[in-house]
């Protein structure tokens, strides 16, 4: 989309910081929460849905359009199912 | 609009932080979900869909499947569900990469500087990592749900096949990324197919016991795939969230490896060197058995009782039966606690979920170190379907492959009752010296039946 050159340094900076954040956030978590955590981060990884939606808007022909819809379909299952099942588990923990 | 994406990223990160504590975890999950929703809504605002109705129906259909599965899946089947969802995420990244790759071929829409090496690397990363995540997760799902044989699946020259495949894939990737011209359909499809095959080979040889580690690793990979998909179109929220999942998944993998006393390298090589450490079972004696009827007497007299649940409890679906027995013991005046090993169940932390489902009081759950401190003063310890995590070889026998693994030191209790389905071995394939100790009695049979039987005897009073 963008015609301007990519600022690679800035990009690398963002990635390193975000990655580090992941390390810090998860490092000290008690083992009893590992299963819900795994399913929760799994739901987050469905964020690729955003990429699929963006790609769909400039899909050029029928083939790419269909591929985009398939991607959206599976990403939605990943996201919605992931958040719901995590919530179901954590709900039980509360009691 | 960038501000909205920043807000979405903040919600995702803060939500993940809150998920690290039991008390705030549910709120954290909701916040993270809100962040996701915001990211999606903002994307739709920037890129309005051409055909709204098709999109709405696709999204609704996918959501319904997700909600339905999440609501009705059994808690014991959680590991395979996570694997399956994870695979779907990988597939989505693969498809996004493919579409972007196809667009590069479309000569009518070029000249936007998108044919750069950077974009191409991002595209092939999304395709390859997404593909490996997809089929790798499907194999993990198959193994965990027993649709595939659970053990390590090995075929002749597997190592060479894997290496050959890797080189071949690399050859295509190198050719594609470095080529000046627009790329043809054949190389794109070759890369897609080879990535899918690589995912299968990656997991096929890894045994069922190591699957939790593999799922965690694949989870991390699906984050990396999402990040790669974000790099194609320089979508910031995708990049940040992808990196976040990528590293948090990785650290989770390492924590798990530590709790199971496995190195990540050994897990990944899996079946390749399965037959190294077998021949060390010396003359192994006969464990002493006991009937459920006789087990009543030590239990009736016990003041402190520890329950050590393991994989076998999950298989026998005996979590409710355990809870019933604990209730009877408490009514009888005994103090009862559950000793939970970090990797008890079918994935780390799984046992906590199963016991929470059976409404077990959260305060009764004791973690490894606290439990080990209490065993010497425990009258009776009931081991339900746990094996390797209570094997004293981990502290006593320097030659054992388990040596060094943190275990629950149940052998320190006055009496240990081991509920076991049969005389099989644990995941490690090792004999358990615990069963031969003087203070240990075996009760063979279905754990659920035995537990119900034990509870029923208390009723008889």
């Amino acid at each position: 989309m963008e015609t301007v050159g990519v600022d690679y340094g800035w990009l690398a900076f963002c990635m390193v910081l975000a990655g580090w954040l992941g390390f810090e956030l998860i490092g000290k978590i008690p083992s009893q929460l590992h299963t819900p955590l795994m399913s929760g981060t799994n739901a987050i990884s469905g964020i690729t849905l955003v990429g699929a939606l963006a790609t769909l808007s400039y899909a050029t022909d029928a083939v790419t359009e269909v591929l985009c819809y398939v991607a959206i379909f599976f990403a939605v299952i990943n996201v919605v199912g992931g958040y719901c099942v995590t919530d179901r588990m954590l709900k039980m923990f509360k009691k | 609009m960038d501000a909205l994406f920043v807000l979405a990223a903040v919600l995702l990160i803060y939500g993940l932080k809150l998920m690290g504590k039991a008390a705030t975890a549910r709120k954290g999950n909701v916040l993270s979900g809100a962040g996701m929703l915001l990211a999606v809504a903002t994307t739709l605002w920037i890129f309005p869909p051409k055909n709204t109705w098709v999109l709405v129906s696709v999204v609704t259909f996918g959501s319904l499947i997700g909600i339905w599965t999440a609501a009705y899946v059994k808690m014991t089947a959680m590991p395979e569900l996570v694997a399956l969802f994870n695979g779907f995420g990988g597939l989505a990244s693969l498809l996004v990469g493919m579409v972007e790759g196809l667009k590069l071929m479309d000569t009518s829409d070029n000249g936007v500087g998108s044919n750069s090496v950077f974009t191409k690397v991002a595209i092939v990363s999304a395709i390859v990592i997404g593909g490996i995540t997809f089929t790798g997760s499907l194999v993990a799902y198959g193994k965990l749900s027993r649709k595939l044989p659970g053990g390590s699946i090995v075929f002749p020259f597997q190592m060479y096949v894997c290496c050959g495949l890797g080189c071949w894939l690399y050859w295509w990737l190198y050719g594609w990324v470095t080529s000046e011209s627009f790329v043809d359909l054949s190389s794109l499809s070759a890369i897609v197919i080879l990535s899918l095959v690589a995912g299968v080979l990656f997991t096929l040889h890894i045994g069922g016991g190591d699957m939790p580690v593999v799922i965690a690793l694949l989870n991390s990979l699906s984050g990396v795939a999402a990040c790669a998909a974000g790099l194609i179109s320089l979508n910031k929220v995708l990049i940040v969230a992808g990196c976040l999942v990528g590293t948090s998944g990785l650290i989770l993998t390492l924590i798990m490896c530590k709790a199971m006393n496995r190195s990540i390298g050994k897990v990944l090589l899996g079946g390749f060197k399965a037959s190294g450490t077998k021949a060390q079972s010396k003359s192994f004696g006969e464990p002493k058995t006991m009937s459920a009827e006789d087990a009543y007497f030590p239990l009736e007299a016990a003041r402190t009782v520890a329950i050590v649940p393991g994989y076998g409890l999950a298989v026998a679906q005996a979590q409710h039966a355990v809870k019933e027995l604990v209730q009877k013991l408490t009514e009888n005046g005994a103090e009862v606690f559950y000793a939970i090993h970090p990797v008890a169940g079918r994935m780390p932390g799984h046992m906590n979920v199963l016991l929470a489902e059976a409404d077990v009081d959260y305060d009764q759950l004791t973690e490894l170190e606290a439990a080990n401190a209490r065993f010497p003063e425990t009258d009776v310890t009931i081991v339900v379907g746990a094996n390797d995590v209570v094997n004293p070889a981990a502290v006593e026998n320097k030659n054992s492959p388990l040596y060094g693994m943190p275990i629950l030191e149940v052998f320190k209790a006055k009496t240990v009752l081991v509920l076991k389905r049969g005389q099989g071995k644990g995941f490690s394939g090792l004999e358990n010296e615990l069963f031969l100790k003087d203070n240990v009695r075996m009760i063979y049979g279905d754990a659920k039946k035995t537990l119900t039987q034990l509870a029923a005897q208390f009723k008889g009073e």
Side-chain angles (χ1 to χ4, degrees):
Chain A
M1 294 296 289
E2 294 165 63
T3 43
V4 279
V6 186
D7 187 347
Y8 297 109
W10 183 242
L11 214 54
F13 183 68
C14 285
M15 287 173 68
V16 168
L17 281 188
W20 192 359
L21 206 56
F23 258 101
E24 287 293 318
L25 286 177
I26 304 303
K28 299 152 215 139
I29 283 180
S31 60
Q32 65 211 20
L33 282 173
H34 279 172
T35 292
L37 200 69
M38 210 136 86
S39 117
T41 50
N42 177 29
I44 296 178
S45 72
I47 187 91
T48 195
L49 170 63
V50 167
L53 287 170
T55 313
L56 173 68
S57 70
Y58 47 93
T60 42
D61 54 56
V63 178
T64 48
E65 209 164 310
V66 168
L67 286 179
C68 282
Y69 281 125
V70 176
I72 291 169
F73 174 69
F74 281 105
V76 164
I77 297 182
N78 184 198
V79 169
V80 176
Y83 277 115
C84 287
V85 87
T86 310
D87 187 64
R88 198 178 137 205
M89 274 190 271
L90 293 172
K91 196 163 64 189
M92 301 185 314
F93 269 102
K94 264 257 167 112
K95 284 183 288 197
Chain B
M1 270 174 274
D2 261 357
L4 288 176
F5 275 133
V6 171
L7 183 62
V10 168
L11 284 171
L12 286 172
I13 292 166
Y14 190 56
L16 195 58
K17 182 183 160 53
L18 289 185
M19 279 186 77
K21 286 213 184 78
T24 52
R26 197 173 174 204
K27 198 174 136 208
N29 188 50
V30 172
L31 275 187
S32 150
M36 177 70 74
L37 197 63
L38 182 62
V40 169
T42 313
T43 309
L44 285 175
W45 188 24
I46 302 175
F47 305 101
K50 280 174 276 188
N51 196 333
T52 317
W53 287 112
V54 180
L55 183 66
V56 167
S57 43
V58 167
V59 169
T60 313
F61 192 41
S63 303
L64 286 178
I65 292 179
I67 292 171
W68 190 81
T69 322
Y72 290 103
V73 67
K74 279 197 183 126
M75 280 299 148
T76 39
M78 197 50 69
E80 51 258 42
L81 183 74
V82 171
L84 191 64
F85 280 166
N86 192 46
F88 288 170
L91 176 63
S93 294
L94 163 86
L95 290 170
V96 170
M98 259 175 82
V99 171
E100 299 282 353
L102 287 169
K103 275 202 323 229
L104 277 196
M105 274 176 235
D106 187 358
T107 39
S108 63
D109 177 38
N110 88 84
V112 287
S114 59
N115 203 21
S116 67
V117 173
F118 176 80
T119 311
K120 281 189 190 169
V121 170
I123 289 175
V124 294
S125 304
I127 293 178
V128 173
I129 302 172
I132 290 177
T133 308
F134 174 48
T135 49
S137 300
L138 284 191
V139 172
Y141 166 77
K143 286 195 175 197
L144 287 165
S145 60
R146 318 214 154 197
K147 291 189 171 90
L148 287 173
S152 166
I153 301 172
V154 199
F155 56 84
F157 306 111
Q158 194 164 10
M159 195 67 146
Y160 301 101
V161 174
C162 292
C163 291
L165 185 100
C167 295
W168 196 16
L169 181 58
Y170 182 76
W171 181 74
W172 279 111
L173 295 181
Y174 187 78
W176 201 65
V177 170
T178 50
S179 71
E180 291 285 317
S181 59
F182 292 97
V183 190
D184 55 323
L185 197 61
S186 62
S187 60
L188 183 68
S189 23
I191 290 171
V192 170
I193 292 168
L194 284 177
S195 306
L196 294 174
V197 177
V200 175
L201 288 177
F202 174 67
T203 35
L204 207 55
H205 66 271
I206 301 175
D210 284 334
M211 269 306 136
V213 177
V214 174
I215 299 176
L217 192 65
L218 287 170
N219 187 20
S220 165
L221 278 185
S222 73
V224 178
C227 177
L231 286 174
I232 302 171
S233 51
L234 296 178
N235 187 318
K236 285 165 205 117
V237 74
L238 254 182
I239 297 171
V240 169
C243 279
L244 201 63
V245 176
T247 51
S248 64
L250 190 63
I251 193 102
L252 215 51
T253 313
L254 296 176
I255 293 174
M256 265 173 229
C257 281
K258 212 172 136 204
M260 297 167 86
N261 201 33
R262 307 272 280 146
S263 76
I264 182 78
K266 267 194 195 140
V267 170
L268 295 184
L269 282 176
F272 289 138
K273 11 171 137 178
S275 53
T277 47
K278 257 185 197 161
Q280 51 118 269
S281 59
K282 42 187 183 204
S283 60
F284 206 74
E286 270 301 304
K288 291 179 265 310
T289 57
M290 191 185 238
S291 69
E293 285 81 37
D294 293 339
Y296 170 71
F297 301 105
L299 279 177
E300 205 276 328
R303 295 297 94 201
T304 332
V305 179
I307 310 274
V308 180
Y311 179 80
L313 177 128
V315 174
Q317 305 260 359
Q319 60 270 41
H320 295 278
V322 164
K323 155 110 178 162
E324 205 189 337
L325 176 63
V326 169
Q327 223 156 16
K328 292 280 179 266
L329 287 168
T330 320
E331 281 164 22
N332 191 41
E335 194 190 334
V336 187
F337 68 96
Y338 294 83
I340 315 282
H341 193 275
V343 292
R346 303 183 64 207
M347 71 200 275
H350 192 207
M351 192 50 67
N352 299 76
V353 174
L354 294 177
L355 292 176
E357 191 196 15
D359 247 340
V360 168
D361 194 356
Y362 198 73
D363 300 327
Q364 285 184 319
L365 306 186
T366 318
E367 289 203 46
L368 186 79
E369 279 119 45
N372 277 342
R374 291 183 72 175
F375 280 129
E377 281 119 53
T378 304
D379 295 319
V380 180
T381 299
I382 309 176
V383 178
V384 191
N387 195 339
D388 289 337
V389 297
V390 293
N391 193 337
V395 271
E396 290 171 353
N397 182 358
K398 283 201 177 165
N399 298 322
S400 168
L402 289 177
Y403 186 75
M405 170 166 148
I407 59 153
L408 290 163
E409 293 163 353
V410 294
F411 54 88
K412 288 187 177 159
K414 293 188 188 91
T415 309
V416 182
L417 302 174
V418 179
L419 271 53
K420 215 163 167 301
R421 207 169 5 167
Q423 274 144 327
K425 297 167 188 163
F427 277 133
S428 63
L430 297 167
E431 297 288 358
N432 196 334
E433 286 155 38
L434 172 76
F435 304 158
L436 297 181
K437 300 220 178 232
D438 285 334
N439 57 342
V440 178
R441 297 288 178 279
M442 312 292 294
I443 307 177
Y444 289 116
D446 180 67
K448 197 173 177 177
K449 260 190 213 146
T450 313
L451 288 165
T452 321
Q453 231 173 327
L454 286 173
Q457 283 172 302
F458 278 94
K459 247 178 233 162
E461 271 188 320

